[in-house]
């Protein structure tokens, strides 16, 4: 009797907490998203009218920012994957006894404030930094071209900030590969590329899936990079939600946008996991 | 002439193969160097500008000074923000580590009905974008007429830290050898004694790692904090709002100190682990 109850007793406090402060808020968000302004009330006062048209209005009004969020997040995820894969591979297979040291180095930049690092990029890529004048001198960019306040800067910032989320799961799954399988592949006359395509890559798929998810999800909802490194032309859906909440006090639209974002991400993630065929994640 | 002989002697080594060997030996090192340079550029920049004799806005290099390091509270709002971040971080770490560890033991050690649903409930907060977590909690607090502030921020941080604690501790529990606990039981230890003397000490490094992770997640969080903290200023929030009018160099001092402190803790942990392993 005692034994059957133990897991439930252990779960109770944590799940009660998550129910109150995670599930309830999401339900509440769904309710808020169908409210309309209280007639005769002040700004910021709303009543429940179950107006699902809020969703259509919110989407139509902000479809550009929605599209941008997903495109930026996708490019940043692919760039992070391209940068992280060789790095994770090198740490797992080519660094011998310095493995742990290099792993610490991957996480270390995390310990300096995320916002401060983003601001640092803004200054490095800005007019007073050293990158822009150098590129102008050697003629890569024209005198009128700037690097900050561009889509390039926003995507670069996101790639940078979420890179360890990609590298760590990739490392974890590449490190688990038995190097003898790679040797075996070589013994069977596969060249380096074939070995990679037929052995290394398939075996590291769980890491690729986990890494791309851990990068894509926060990137799609991010607004800090766009706020610091971007311009009004690079606004993402996060920026819209933030300003709806704080500047315009338009809670229903903000809620409808948040809910649409979450639903879109959940659908994409489910499709992706199905397609990639990994169930180890959860 | 000599080149021709060399080619004749080793006709099997094609230029492609030679390139591949070179690639295997050196390019990956060059690549690692470049990747780590990319990772550390902003960290180095932040550190360098902590020595800037900058005055109010730390944008352009104006000369070397140690003032900022000798007087990190020279910009008092920086230190207030830091104190808030540490308080919130410690509270969020304590609560999320306790709740998360209990859940990890339940899921990692027991088979029960609803186990996969529990796993899903743990995965969901991680799959929810921060802005949705922050916004939904704020809308709940608004409905309940609770003003955003210190405690709402702590609660919000616990929500997103719990899942990471569960995942970290669960991984440690999964790597335990069950025979150790069986051995304790065979030696007439009861369930509680086994847990306290065998299981808990073995899982402890996982719990410590989870607590460190929770603290660093909480300390560096901006988006969720921005939604739920009201007038309370945390360190990331201070940096974000100050970015428009110029960040005092003291913020660089604090960020750099945090960097070295965390690095020292991680390295000390590694050395400790290695000693234990011996």
């Amino acid at each position: 009797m005692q034994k059957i109850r133990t897991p439930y007793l252990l779960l109770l406090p944590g799940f009660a907490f998550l129910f109150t402060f995670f599930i309830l808020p999401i339900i509440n968000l769904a309710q808020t998203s169908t409210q309309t302004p209280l007639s005769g009330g002040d700004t910021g006062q709303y009543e429940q009218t179950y107006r699902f048209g809020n969703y259509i209005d919110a989407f139509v009004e902000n479809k550009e920012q929605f599209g941008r969020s997903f495109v930026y997040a996708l490019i940043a995820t692919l760039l992070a994957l391209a940068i992280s894969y060789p790095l994770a591979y090198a740490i797992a297979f080519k660094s011998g006894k310095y493995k742990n040291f290099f792993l610490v180095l991957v996480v270390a930049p995390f310990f300096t404030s995320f916002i401060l690092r983003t601001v640092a990029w803004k200054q490095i890529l800005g007019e007073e930094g050293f990158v822009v004048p150098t590129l102008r001198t050697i003629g890569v960019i024209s005198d009128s071209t700037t690097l900050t306040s561009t889509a390039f800067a926003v995507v670069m910032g996101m790639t940078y900030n979420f890179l360890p989320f990609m590298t760590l799961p990739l490392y974890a799954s590449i490190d688990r590969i038995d190097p003898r399988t790679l040797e075996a592949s070589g013994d069977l006359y596969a060249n380096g590329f074939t070995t990679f395509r037929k052995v290394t890559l398939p075996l590291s798929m769980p890491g690729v899936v986990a890494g791309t998810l851990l990068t894509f999800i926060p990137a799609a909802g991010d607004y800090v990079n766009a706020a610091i490194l971007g311009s009004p032309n690079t606004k993402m859906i996060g920026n819209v939600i933030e300003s709806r909440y704080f500047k315009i006090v338009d809670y229903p639209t903000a809620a409808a946008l948040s809910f649409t974002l979450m639903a879109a991400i959940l659908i994409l993630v489910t499709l992706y996991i199905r397609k990639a065929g990994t169930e180890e994640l959860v | 002439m000599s080149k021709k002989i060399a080619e004749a002697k080793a006709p099997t080594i094609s230029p492609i193969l030679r390139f591949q060997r070179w690639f295997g030996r050196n390019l990956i090192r060059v690549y690692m160097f470049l990747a780590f340079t990319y990772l550390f550029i902003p960290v180095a920049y932040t550190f360098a500008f902590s020595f800037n004799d900058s005055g109010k806005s730390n944008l352009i290099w104006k000369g070397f000074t140690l003032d900022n390091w000798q007087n990190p509270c020279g910009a008092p709002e920086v230190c207030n923000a830091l104190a808030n971040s540490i308080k919130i971080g410690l509270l969020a770490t304590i609560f999320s580590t306790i709740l998360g560890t209990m859940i990890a033991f339940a899921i990692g050690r027991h088979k029960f009905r609803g186990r996969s649903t529990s796993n899903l409930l743990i995965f969901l907060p991680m799959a929810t974008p921060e802005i949705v977590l922050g916004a939904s909690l704020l809308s709940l607090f608004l409905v309940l007429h609770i003003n955003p502030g210190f405690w709402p921020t702590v609660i919000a941080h616990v929500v997103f830290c719990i899942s990471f604690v569960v995942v970290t501790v669960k991984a440690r529990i999964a790597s335990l050898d069950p025979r150790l606990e069986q051995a304790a039981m065979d030696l007439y230890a009861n369930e509680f004694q086994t847990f306290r003397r065998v299981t808990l000490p073995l899982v402890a490094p996982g719990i410590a790692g989870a607590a460190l992770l929770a603290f660093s997640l909480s300390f560096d969080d901006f988006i969720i904090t921005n939604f739920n903290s009201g007038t309370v200023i945390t360190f990331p929030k201070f940096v974000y709002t100050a970015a428009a009018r110029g960040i005092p160099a003291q913020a660089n001092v604090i960020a750099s100190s945090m960097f070295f402190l965390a690095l020292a803790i991680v390295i000390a942990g590694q050395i400790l682990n290695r000693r234990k392993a011996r």
Side-chain angles (χ1 to χ4, degrees):
Chain A
M1 193 59 214
Q2 181 70 31
K3 275 218 159 158
I4 301 167
R5 255 188 290 163
T6 320
Y8 295 110
L9 287 176
L10 284 170
L11 288 177
L12 187 67
F15 278 10
F17 184 90
L18 281 181
F19 180 78
T20 320
F21 297 111
F22 175 65
I23 305 288
L24 278 187
I26 301 277
I27 295 171
N28 184 255
L29 190 74
Q31 282 177 337
T32 312
S33 69
T34 54
Q35 291 176 348
T36 46
L38 187 66
S39 48
D42 293 332
T43 16
Q45 287 188 312
Y46 295 91
E47 60 179 340
Q48 186 58 267
T49 50
Y50 297 101
R51 186 177 176 275
F52 288 94
N54 281 354
Y55 279 86
I56 297 163
D57 292 352
F59 184 76
V60 170
E61 217 176 301
N62 300 293
K63 55 181 186 299
E64 225 176 288
Q65 285 86 346
F66 255 114
R68 216 177 270 143
S69 291
F70 283 94
V71 171
Y72 286 4
L74 186 70
I75 300 173
T77 307
L78 293 177
L79 282 175
L81 180 64
I83 296 170
S84 290
Y85 202 102
L87 184 63
Y89 186 89
I91 296 174
F93 284 141
K94 305 282 176 193
S95 45
K97 60 175 177 173
Y98 296 111
K99 223 186 228 183
N100 282 334
F101 171 72
F102 284 128
L103 265 187
V104 171
L105 280 192
V106 172
V107 197
F110 252 117
F111 301 139
T112 319
S113 164
F114 150 59
I115 309 265
L116 209 50
R117 274 180 292 136
T118 312
V119 173
W121 273 122
K122 184 189 178 177
Q123 297 184 5
I124 292 165
L125 298 175
E127 292 300 302
E128 285 94 9
F130 57 87
V131 178
V132 168
T134 318
L135 287 179
R136 278 188 190 145
T137 319
I138 58 173
V140 176
I141 57 172
S142 69
D143 282 357
S144 55
T145 315
T146 53
L147 291 181
T148 46
S149 311
T150 59
F152 164 80
V154 177
V155 172
M156 199 233 62
M158 295 203 300
T159 308
Y160 176 81
N161 277 314
F162 301 121
L163 201 66
F165 290 114
M166 180 69 87
T167 313
L168 290 182
L170 273 178
Y171 165 79
S173 69
I174 295 176
D175 191 47
R176 238 181 275 156
I177 299 175
D178 189 336
R180 283 173 299 183
T181 56
L182 306 185
E183 284 167 28
S185 165
D187 291 344
L188 295 165
Y189 302 105
N191 62 27
F193 179 69
T194 314
T195 303
F196 175 75
R197 202 169 55 88
K198 297 245 168 146
V199 183
T200 319
L201 190 60
L203 285 174
S204 62
M205 265 327 263
V208 175
V209 174
T212 43
L213 288 180
L214 284 175
T215 311
F216 182 80
I217 295 168
D222 179 74
Y223 66 87
V224 174
N225 286 291
I228 295 177
L229 295 165
S231 71
N233 295 325
T234 60
K235 268 196 180 156
M236 295 170 64
I237 201 64
N239 303 79
V240 180
I241 296 175
E242 196 242 2
S243 74
R244 289 281 163 164
Y245 257 102
F246 293 117
K247 295 192 189 114
I248 313 176
V249 217
D250 179 3
Y251 301 132
T253 309
L257 288 172
S258 308
F259 224 74
T260 314
L261 174 69
M262 188 167 82
I265 288 179
L266 276 180
I267 291 169
L268 279 176
V269 165
T270 318
L271 288 177
Y272 178 62
I273 294 180
R274 282 247 176 99
K275 183 107 182 148
T278 357
E279 277 144 21
E280 279 179 44
L281 272 170
V282 185
Chain B
M1 193 59 194
S2 57
K3 208 178 168 189
K4 267 191 178 169
I5 294 168
E7 269 175 19
K9 268 188 178 172
T12 45
I13 299 180
S14 68
I16 295 170
L17 200 67
R18 213 179 292 163
F19 174 76
Q20 276 179 353
R21 283 188 185 171
W22 182 84
F23 183 92
R25 274 186 208 136
N26 294 301
L27 199 67
I28 208 137
R29 290 213 181 94
V30 177
Y31 183 81
M32 277 177 99
F33 177 76
L34 288 177
F36 280 119
T37 311
Y38 172 59
L39 274 171
F40 278 89
I41 284 177
V43 179
Y45 181 92
T46 304
F47 182 58
F49 273 69
S50 71
F51 296 103
N52 189 12
D53 194 3
S54 59
K56 281 214 165 150
S57 153
N58 198 1
L59 264 175
I60 312 157
W61 185 258
K62 287 184 188 149
F64 182 86
T65 179
L66 285 173
D67 282 0
N68 307 320
W69 281 86
Q70 283 163 343
N71 192 11
C73 286
E77 62 281 20
V78 178
C79 276
N80 288 337
L82 177 70
N84 283 334
S85 276
I86 292 175
K87 275 185 235 162
I88 292 169
L90 286 178
L91 287 167
T93 304
I94 293 168
F95 290 129
S96 62
T97 307
I98 294 172
L99 295 175
T101 304
M102 286 167 72
I103 297 175
F105 269 105
I107 296 176
R109 263 300 137 92
H110 298 272
K111 290 220 182 316
F112 56 92
R113 282 183 72 180
R115 194 158 167 261
S116 51
T117 319
S118 309
N119 269 323
L120 186 70
L121 185 59
I122 294 305
F123 178 69
L124 271 181
M126 291 198 282
T128 311
E130 275 192 60
I131 192 161
V132 178
L133 276 182
S136 63
L137 255 175
L138 174 64
S139 61
L140 180 78
F141 289 135
L142 288 173
V143 168
L144 298 177
H145 298 287
I146 297 170
N147 282 330
F150 185 84
W151 284 104
T153 312
V154 174
I155 289 172
H157 284 201
V158 176
V159 171
F160 73 81
C161 287
I162 282 185
S163 303
F164 287 94
V165 173
V166 175
V167 171
T168 315
V169 178
K170 214 172 74 178
R172 180 82 194 181
I173 293 174
S175 71
L176 282 192
D177 188 342
R179 282 172 300 182
L180 290 171
E181 283 168 319
Q182 283 163 16
M185 298 281 218
D186 288 345
L187 294 165
Y188 300 106
N190 64 30
E191 216 165 308
F192 178 72
Q193 284 168 325
T194 310
F195 177 77
R196 209 174 64 88
R197 296 282 182 90
V198 179
T199 319
L200 199 58
L202 285 171
V203 181
I207 299 175
L212 269 178
L213 179 68
F215 185 81
S216 57
L217 285 173
S218 160
F219 188 84
D220 207 22
D221 178 76
F222 171 73
I223 295 180
I224 293 174
T225 311
N226 196 28
F227 273 87
N228 292 291
S229 58
T231 52
V232 175
I233 310 274
T234 62
F235 185 66
K237 203 174 154 188
F238 169 77
V239 176
Y240 185 81
T241 38
R245 53 194 157 79
I247 300 162
Q250 278 85 356
N252 294 43
V253 171
I254 285 165
S256 305
S257 322
M258 286 301 293
F259 173 77
F260 290 117
L261 182 70
L263 210 59
I265 292 175
V266 172
I267 292 172
Q270 296 250 348
I271 293 172
L272 216 73
N273 262 348
R274 205 163 287 174
R275 278 212 191 135
K276 265 191 191 163
R278 258 180 213 166

